[in-house]
Amino acid sequence: MTRNQKAFLDMIAFSEIGPALLKVSDNGYNVCVGSTPKAPILFTDYSAHPRIRDERTNSDAAGRYQFMGRYWNFYRRQLGLPDFGPASQDKWAIALIGECKALQAIEDGEIQEAIRLCRSRWASLPGAGYGQHENDLAALKQAYTDAGGTTA
């Protein structure tokens, strides 16, 4: 994984679960949807997607990048993921970024464009349009830079 890819993944985690949850968890890899910093909902078994449904949101998103359980079996087979551990979650996120055709934009430091290209996969990105909270572009660009990413 390149430096910019790692920084972009850190930025997605910042966007999806926030910096406070990153600190009270396994760097976000074991966070379930519905978590708050004061009441984190964490899982301990990384053998598979936990599929813990949050009744308020009717979602079972989990992990550092808040993957939906309904996609787990497909990506597990497609990517040969041995488990839902950190390396597998990172590999899955990079695959989604690739599907969005954003890898080159990330490498070129065109972060605003990469975020635009990936907004269909992560509801917290600006312009996603899922009716959920979307983060401010400036804050995401700062999180990317803080994580060591380079910009054009």
Side-chain angles (χ1 to χ4, degrees), residues 1-121:
M1 184 180 323
T2 69
R3 175 181 172 177
N4 281 2
Q5 288 172 359
K6 169 109 176 60
F8 198 79
L9 291 184
D10 287 348
M11 186 257 339
I12 293 170
F14 171 91
S15 185
E16 285 291 307
I17 62 176
L21 273 170
L22 290 171
K23 293 177 185 172
V24 299
S25 65
D26 181 11
N27 201 21
Y29 290 104
N30 63 338
V31 171
C32 292
V33 68
S35 291
T36 66
K38 291 183 179 178
I41 303 166
L42 308 176
F43 61 91
T44 57
D45 181 0
Y46 285 101
S47 62
H49 188 289
R51 293 192 170 132
I52 298 170
R53 184 158 300 283
D54 177 64
E55 296 305 320
R56 290 171 296 146
T57 61
N58 196 30
S59 174
D60 68 353
R64 192 167 200 249
Y65 313 108
Q66 292 294 283
F67 297 117
M68 302 295 291
R70 69 178 172 257
Y71 301 116
W72 166 244
N73 287 332
F74 173 80
Y75 283 100
R76 180 182 50 82
R77 283 190 302 273
Q78 182 184 51
L79 301 173
L81 303 175
D83 56 28
F84 194 63
S88 294
Q89 290 182 41
D90 288 351
K91 187 174 182 179
W92 186 355
I94 291 293
L96 292 180
I97 293 166
E99 288 175 9
C100 294
K101 312 254 186 276
L103 289 171
Q104 191 60 54
I106 292 168
E107 290 313 304
D108 293 343
E110 299 289 345
I111 298 315
Q112 185 169 339
E113 176 65 4
I115 290 169
R116 185 189 69 76
L117 290 168
C118 290
R119 68 186 178 197
S120 66
R121 298 301 191 277

Side-chain angles (χ1 to χ4, degrees), residues 134-149:
E134 295 178 10
N135 287 299
D136 178 69
L137 179 61
L140 297 180
K141 289 166 85 173
Q142 187 63 55
Y144 171 81
T145 302
D146 290 349

